[in-house]
Amino acid sequence: MFGQFLLQTFNTNLSFLYMVKPFTHIKKCHNVLSFRCVEALIVYFRMGREEEPYVSISRKKHLRGWGYSEEEEREVGHSLRRLATHRNAFKRTAVIQAFLGSTPQLTLQLYVCVLQRYISPARAVLMAMSLASTTYGALVLNVLAIQIKYDDYKVRLSVPAFFCIIVWRCLEIATRVTVLVLFCSALKAWVAAVALVNMIILFLLPWVYFWKSGSSLPENVEKNFSWLGTVTVLGTVTLLYSAINMFCWSAVQLNLSERDLIDQSQNWGRLIIHYSIRLLENATLILLWYFYKEDGFEYFCSPLLVVQLLVGYCASVLFMLLFYQYFHPCRSLFSHNVSDFILCVCLRRTKPNRMLIEGRETDV
């Protein structure tokens, strides 16, 4: 699903080929998106007016209680299928526009504000819109990751779940961008090295896992693709993946040995490693800015700003844990939750204890 989600971007006007010739394809891109919007509205308002034969039957499980599910069948007609196609296209557009458009725009505008020591109302509105767009792109990735992991279930997020994800992503992206901008304002010669190291490591990481697995390249990733075309597409998808992880957790992990290009396991280890390294990196960068900042920041309370950025990033991690512990739509299917992991870590730091499990004592 995720592989098709990303690979279809090369069949739309937001594809990699259009990035090579942006000026000749911008108009076509807007025309196609406008056509999709108009067609989706027409199909939506015409639905239900006349009976149409169904194309397929969709079977999804609905969680009715804690661990109890009930399977339901639904007939999928032509109109519903066309709407699903348009919805997936809009999601692809949102993700690409967020991390290849809004995030660089947010970084640039904030850097200008730092240099001018002033935030105009127009620039503040523009930065707020860019942050909202990037947050929405990250929200789409979160929902997509849940749908891929629990493909057999009908996933519906509650209002508190949406709130936790939005706050989590907003704090994570805002603090990350602010740290990078402040570091760039103080040590301009080193910012390129930091960005390149991040991009190279994140780009090579999926390929290292692929090489260690000993698998071959997936066949038939897309129709009419040669071996070179497949490698080019996989490299471009990996580049987008590294750009997303540069600013926030991508929620989905690439697996280049699979046809769908996605690791469907939860993989808590990568999540912990990502946030631990990112917190350490943010702390290092903001401390370097504090010691090498320009004289223009003498009117700001720099220690307070450092503490606020670190606390803000830790708060984003707290909202992430809150989401997985209490508001995840499929939390009843977890074999272990956040509280179990924290309890396990706390017990391992103490001396070996004895726990009673199913009537028998065992070492922890």
Side-chain angles (χ1 to χ4, degrees), residues 262-283:
I262 186 63
D263 189 358
Q264 296 187 0
S265 61
Q266 188 65 40
N267 211 324
W268 296 100
R270 292 188 186 180
L271 180 68
I272 297 171
I273 293 174
H274 173 86
Y275 278 99
S276 300
I277 294 177
R278 193 63 77 204
L279 178 61
L280 181 62
E281 180 189 4
N282 287 347

PDB file of all heavy atoms in Angstrom, residues 262-283:
ATOM      1  N   ILE A 262       7.348  -1.493   2.258  1.00  0.00           N
ATOM      2  CA  ILE A 262       7.008  -1.035   3.608  1.00  0.00           C
ATOM      3  C   ILE A 262       7.181  -2.169   4.601  1.00  0.00           C
ATOM      4  O   ILE A 262       6.863  -3.323   4.312  1.00  0.00           O
ATOM      5  CB  ILE A 262       5.567  -0.492   3.660  1.00  0.00           C
ATOM      6  CG1 ILE A 262       5.257   0.113   5.026  1.00  0.00           C
ATOM      7  CG2 ILE A 262       4.577  -1.575   3.320  1.00  0.00           C
ATOM      8  CD1 ILE A 262       6.100   1.295   5.360  1.00  0.00           C
ATOM      9  N   ASP A 263       7.748  -1.843   5.739  1.00  0.00           N
ATOM     10  CA  ASP A 263       7.872  -2.780   6.847  1.00  0.00           C
ATOM     11  C   ASP A 263       6.598  -2.690   7.684  1.00  0.00           C
ATOM     12  O   ASP A 263       6.316  -1.660   8.294  1.00  0.00           O
ATOM     13  CB  ASP A 263       9.098  -2.425   7.700  1.00  0.00           C
ATOM     14  CG  ASP A 263       9.401  -3.478   8.732  1.00  0.00           C
ATOM     15  OD1 ASP A 263       8.641  -4.463   8.817  1.00  0.00           O
ATOM     16  OD2 ASP A 263      10.389  -3.325   9.472  1.00  0.00           O
ATOM     17  N   GLN A 264       5.815  -3.757   7.686  1.00  0.00           N
ATOM     18  CA  GLN A 264       4.519  -3.717   8.344  1.00  0.00           C
ATOM     19  C   GLN A 264       4.592  -3.976   9.842  1.00  0.00           C
ATOM     20  O   GLN A 264       3.563  -3.897  10.521  1.00  0.00           O
ATOM     21  CB  GLN A 264       3.576  -4.745   7.694  1.00  0.00           C
ATOM     22  CG  GLN A 264       3.266  -4.441   6.243  1.00  0.00           C
ATOM     23  CD  GLN A 264       2.214  -5.361   5.666  1.00  0.00           C
ATOM     24  OE1 GLN A 264       1.700  -6.250   6.351  1.00  0.00           O
ATOM     25  NE2 GLN A 264       1.881  -5.158   4.410  1.00  0.00           N
ATOM     26  N   SER A 265       5.768  -4.287  10.374  1.00  0.00           N
ATOM     27  CA  SER A 265       5.892  -4.470  11.821  1.00  0.00           C
ATOM     28  C   SER A 265       5.924  -3.116  12.520  1.00  0.00           C
ATOM     29  O   SER A 265       6.248  -2.090  11.921  1.00  0.00           O
ATOM     30  CB  SER A 265       7.167  -5.257  12.141  1.00  0.00           C
ATOM     31  OG  SER A 265       8.303  -4.552  11.701  1.00  0.00           O
ATOM     32  N   GLN A 266       5.574  -3.131  13.791  1.00  0.00           N
ATOM     33  CA  GLN A 266       5.527  -1.887  14.555  1.00  0.00           C
ATOM     34  C   GLN A 266       6.914  -1.301  14.779  1.00  0.00           C
ATOM     35  O   GLN A 266       7.122  -0.103  14.693  1.00  0.00           O
ATOM     36  CB  GLN A 266       4.839  -2.132  15.908  1.00  0.00           C
ATOM     37  CG  GLN A 266       4.570  -0.876  16.707  1.00  0.00           C
ATOM     38  CD  GLN A 266       3.575   0.030  16.032  1.00  0.00           C
ATOM     39  OE1 GLN A 266       2.594  -0.448  15.462  1.00  0.00           O
ATOM     40  NE2 GLN A 266       3.798   1.328  16.074  1.00  0.00           N
ATOM     41  N   ASN A 267       7.883  -2.156  15.099  1.00  0.00           N
ATOM     42  CA  ASN A 267       9.292  -1.764  15.218  1.00  0.00           C
ATOM     43  C   ASN A 267       9.486  -0.609  16.195  1.00  0.00           C
ATOM     44  O   ASN A 267       9.866   0.505  15.819  1.00  0.00           O
ATOM     45  CB  ASN A 267       9.868  -1.390  13.849  1.00  0.00           C
ATOM     46  CG  ASN A 267      11.350  -1.721  13.759  1.00  0.00           C
ATOM     47  OD1 ASN A 267      12.071  -1.591  14.747  1.00  0.00           O
ATOM     48  ND2 ASN A 267      11.783  -2.158  12.595  1.00  0.00           N
ATOM     49  N   TRP A 268       9.236  -0.883  17.473  1.00  0.00           N
ATOM     50  CA  TRP A 268       9.416   0.125  18.511  1.00  0.00           C
ATOM     51  C   TRP A 268      10.883   0.517  18.669  1.00  0.00           C
ATOM     52  O   TRP A 268      11.192   1.622  19.109  1.00  0.00           O
ATOM     53  CB  TRP A 268       8.875  -0.403  19.833  1.00  0.00           C
ATOM     54  CG  TRP A 268       7.407  -0.665  19.836  1.00  0.00           C
ATOM     55  CD1 TRP A 268       6.790  -1.874  19.682  1.00  0.00           C
ATOM     56  CD2 TRP A 268       6.353   0.291  19.979  1.00  0.00           C
ATOM     57  NE1 TRP A 268       5.433  -1.725  19.718  1.00  0.00           N
ATOM     58  CE2 TRP A 268       5.135  -0.406  19.912  1.00  0.00           C
ATOM     59  CE3 TRP A 268       6.337   1.671  20.160  1.00  0.00           C
ATOM     60  CZ2 TRP A 268       3.903   0.220  20.023  1.00  0.00           C
ATOM     61  CZ3 TRP A 268       5.112   2.306  20.272  1.00  0.00           C
ATOM     62  CH2 TRP A 268       3.920   1.589  20.205  1.00  0.00           C
ATOM     63  N   GLY A 269      11.802  -0.416  18.338  1.00  0.00           N
ATOM     64  CA  GLY A 269      13.218  -0.118  18.515  1.00  0.00           C
ATOM     65  C   GLY A 269      13.678   1.060  17.680  1.00  0.00           C
ATOM     66  O   GLY A 269      14.398   1.937  18.161  1.00  0.00           O
ATOM     67  N   ARG A 270      13.254   1.106  16.407  1.00  0.00           N
ATOM     68  CA  ARG A 270      13.633   2.227  15.553  1.00  0.00           C
ATOM     69  C   ARG A 270      13.035   3.532  16.060  1.00  0.00           C
ATOM     70  O   ARG A 270      13.665   4.592  15.962  1.00  0.00           O
ATOM     71  CB  ARG A 270      13.165   1.965  14.114  1.00  0.00           C
ATOM     72  CG  ARG A 270      13.891   0.839  13.415  1.00  0.00           C
ATOM     73  CD  ARG A 270      13.497   0.803  11.945  1.00  0.00           C
ATOM     74  NE  ARG A 270      14.066  -0.356  11.262  1.00  0.00           N
ATOM     75  CZ  ARG A 270      13.878  -0.619   9.975  1.00  0.00           C
ATOM     76  NH1 ARG A 270      13.146   0.209   9.238  1.00  0.00           N
ATOM     77  NH2 ARG A 270      14.412  -1.688   9.418  1.00  0.00           N
ATOM     78  N   LEU A 271      11.812   3.454  16.568  1.00  0.00           N
ATOM     79  CA  LEU A 271      11.168   4.651  17.101  1.00  0.00           C
ATOM     80  C   LEU A 271      11.964   5.217  18.271  1.00  0.00           C
ATOM     81  O   LEU A 271      12.210   6.433  18.357  1.00  0.00           O
ATOM     82  CB  LEU A 271       9.746   4.318  17.533  1.00  0.00           C
ATOM     83  CG  LEU A 271       8.909   5.452  18.124  1.00  0.00           C
ATOM     84  CD1 LEU A 271       8.586   6.478  17.050  1.00  0.00           C
ATOM     85  CD2 LEU A 271       7.620   4.909  18.736  1.00  0.00           C
ATOM     86  N   ILE A 272      12.403   4.354  19.185  1.00  0.00           N
ATOM     87  CA  ILE A 272      13.163   4.797  20.359  1.00  0.00           C
ATOM     88  C   ILE A 272      14.521   5.355  19.936  1.00  0.00           C
ATOM     89  O   ILE A 272      14.953   6.417  20.422  1.00  0.00           O
ATOM     90  CB  ILE A 272      13.328   3.627  21.344  1.00  0.00           C
ATOM     91  CG1 ILE A 272      11.963   3.179  21.865  1.00  0.00           C
ATOM     92  CG2 ILE A 272      14.238   4.017  22.497  1.00  0.00           C
ATOM     93  CD1 ILE A 272      12.008   1.901  22.675  1.00  0.00           C
ATOM     94  N   ILE A 273      15.181   4.654  19.009  1.00  0.00           N
ATOM     95  CA  ILE A 273      16.490   5.122  18.554  1.00  0.00           C
ATOM     96  C   ILE A 273      16.372   6.475  17.865  1.00  0.00           C
ATOM     97  O   ILE A 273      17.196   7.379  18.075  1.00  0.00           O
ATOM     98  CB  ILE A 273      17.121   4.075  17.618  1.00  0.00           C
ATOM     99  CG1 ILE A 273      17.459   2.802  18.404  1.00  0.00           C
ATOM    100  CG2 ILE A 273      18.377   4.627  16.953  1.00  0.00           C
ATOM    101  CD1 ILE A 273      17.953   1.669  17.538  1.00  0.00           C
ATOM    102  N   HIS A 274      15.336   6.641  17.031  1.00  0.00           N
ATOM    103  CA  HIS A 274      15.167   7.902  16.301  1.00  0.00           C
ATOM    104  C   HIS A 274      15.011   9.076  17.264  1.00  0.00           C
ATOM    105  O   HIS A 274      15.716  10.086  17.145  1.00  0.00           O
ATOM    106  CB  HIS A 274      13.954   7.812  15.387  1.00  0.00           C
ATOM    107  CG  HIS A 274      13.592   9.107  14.730  1.00  0.00           C
ATOM    108  ND1 HIS A 274      14.158   9.525  13.548  1.00  0.00           N
ATOM    109  CD2 HIS A 274      12.732  10.108  15.104  1.00  0.00           C
ATOM    110  CE1 HIS A 274      13.661  10.710  13.213  1.00  0.00           C
ATOM    111  NE2 HIS A 274      12.796  11.083  14.142  1.00  0.00           N
ATOM    112  N   TYR A 275      14.099   8.958  18.224  1.00  0.00           N
ATOM    113  CA  TYR A 275      13.840  10.081  19.113  1.00  0.00           C
ATOM    114  C   TYR A 275      14.978  10.307  20.093  1.00  0.00           C
ATOM    115  O   TYR A 275      15.229  11.446  20.510  1.00  0.00           O
ATOM    116  CB  TYR A 275      12.511   9.880  19.846  1.00  0.00           C
ATOM    117  CG  TYR A 275      11.328  10.282  19.018  1.00  0.00           C
ATOM    118  CD1 TYR A 275      10.570   9.340  18.341  1.00  0.00           C
ATOM    119  CD2 TYR A 275      10.969  11.618  18.863  1.00  0.00           C
ATOM    120  CE1 TYR A 275       9.477   9.704  17.561  1.00  0.00           C
ATOM    121  CE2 TYR A 275       9.893  12.001  18.094  1.00  0.00           C
ATOM    122  CZ  TYR A 275       9.154  11.033  17.444  1.00  0.00           C
ATOM    123  OH  TYR A 275       8.091  11.412  16.665  1.00  0.00           O
ATOM    124  N   SER A 276      15.672   9.264  20.473  1.00  0.00           N
ATOM    125  CA  SER A 276      16.819   9.443  21.370  1.00  0.00           C
ATOM    126  C   SER A 276      17.948  10.194  20.664  1.00  0.00           C
ATOM    127  O   SER A 276      18.512  11.152  21.214  1.00  0.00           O
ATOM    128  CB  SER A 276      17.310   8.075  21.859  1.00  0.00           C
ATOM    129  OG  SER A 276      16.300   7.392  22.569  1.00  0.00           O
ATOM    130  N   ILE A 277      18.264   9.762  19.447  1.00  0.00           N
ATOM    131  CA  ILE A 277      19.324  10.441  18.692  1.00  0.00           C
ATOM    132  C   ILE A 277      18.915  11.863  18.334  1.00  0.00           C
ATOM    133  O   ILE A 277      19.718  12.801  18.405  1.00  0.00           O
ATOM    134  CB  ILE A 277      19.666   9.628  17.425  1.00  0.00           C
ATOM    135  CG1 ILE A 277      20.277   8.286  17.809  1.00  0.00           C
ATOM    136  CG2 ILE A 277      20.615  10.411  16.522  1.00  0.00           C
ATOM    137  CD1 ILE A 277      20.591   7.387  16.635  1.00  0.00           C
ATOM    138  N   ARG A 278      17.640  12.051  17.947  1.00  0.00           N
ATOM    139  CA  ARG A 278      17.194  13.389  17.556  1.00  0.00           C
ATOM    140  C   ARG A 278      17.200  14.342  18.747  1.00  0.00           C
ATOM    141  O   ARG A 278      17.564  15.519  18.609  1.00  0.00           O
ATOM    142  CB  ARG A 278      15.801  13.308  16.953  1.00  0.00           C
ATOM    143  CG  ARG A 278      15.365  14.571  16.238  1.00  0.00           C
ATOM    144  CD  ARG A 278      16.258  14.843  15.060  1.00  0.00           C
ATOM    145  NE  ARG A 278      15.981  13.996  13.917  1.00  0.00           N
ATOM    146  CZ  ARG A 278      16.853  13.709  12.962  1.00  0.00           C
ATOM    147  NH1 ARG A 278      18.084  14.192  13.041  1.00  0.00           N
ATOM    148  NH2 ARG A 278      16.528  12.944  11.940  1.00  0.00           N
ATOM    149  N   LEU A 279      16.836  13.851  19.928  1.00  0.00           N
ATOM    150  CA  LEU A 279      16.883  14.701  21.119  1.00  0.00           C
ATOM    151  C   LEU A 279      18.312  15.083  21.454  1.00  0.00           C
ATOM    152  O   LEU A 279      18.599  16.243  21.788  1.00  0.00           O
ATOM    153  CB  LEU A 279      16.225  13.975  22.303  1.00  0.00           C
ATOM    154  CG  LEU A 279      16.242  14.713  23.640  1.00  0.00           C
ATOM    155  CD1 LEU A 279      15.493  16.040  23.540  1.00  0.00           C
ATOM    156  CD2 LEU A 279      15.639  13.836  24.736  1.00  0.00           C
ATOM    157  N   LEU A 280      19.225  14.131  21.350  1.00  0.00           N
ATOM    158  CA  LEU A 280      20.636  14.419  21.609  1.00  0.00           C
ATOM    159  C   LEU A 280      21.184  15.397  20.579  1.00  0.00           C
ATOM    160  O   LEU A 280      21.942  16.325  20.920  1.00  0.00           O
ATOM    161  CB  LEU A 280      21.433  13.113  21.595  1.00  0.00           C
ATOM    162  CG  LEU A 280      22.943  13.220  21.863  1.00  0.00           C
ATOM    163  CD1 LEU A 280      23.191  13.787  23.251  1.00  0.00           C
ATOM    164  CD2 LEU A 280      23.602  11.860  21.709  1.00  0.00           C
ATOM    165  N   GLU A 281      20.800  15.225  19.321  1.00  0.00           N
ATOM    166  CA  GLU A 281      21.272  16.131  18.277  1.00  0.00           C
ATOM    167  C   GLU A 281      20.723  17.539  18.479  1.00  0.00           C
ATOM    168  O   GLU A 281      21.456  18.528  18.363  1.00  0.00           O
ATOM    169  CB  GLU A 281      20.848  15.607  16.904  1.00  0.00           C
ATOM    170  CG  GLU A 281      21.313  16.491  15.758  1.00  0.00           C
ATOM    171  CD  GLU A 281      20.700  16.094  14.435  1.00  0.00           C
ATOM    172  OE1 GLU A 281      19.852  15.181  14.420  1.00  0.00           O
ATOM    173  OE2 GLU A 281      21.051  16.712  13.413  1.00  0.00           O
ATOM    174  N   ASN A 282      19.432  17.652  18.775  1.00  0.00           N
ATOM    175  CA  ASN A 282      18.844  18.973  19.025  1.00  0.00           C
ATOM    176  C   ASN A 282      19.513  19.670  20.205  1.00  0.00           C
ATOM    177  O   ASN A 282      19.775  20.879  20.161  1.00  0.00           O
ATOM    178  CB  ASN A 282      17.342  18.847  19.267  1.00  0.00           C
ATOM    179  CG  ASN A 282      16.572  18.541  18.002  1.00  0.00           C
ATOM    180  OD1 ASN A 282      17.096  18.653  16.895  1.00  0.00           O
ATOM    181  ND2 ASN A 282      15.323  18.139  18.148  1.00  0.00           N
ATOM    182  N   ALA A 283      19.768  18.916  21.263  1.00  0.00           N
ATOM    183  CA  ALA A 283      20.428  19.505  22.434  1.00  0.00           C
ATOM    184  C   ALA A 283      21.835  19.990  22.082  1.00  0.00           C
ATOM    185  O   ALA A 283      22.260  21.079  22.508  1.00  0.00           O
ATOM    186  CB  ALA A 283      20.488  18.484  23.565  1.00  0.00           C
TER     187      ALA A 283
END
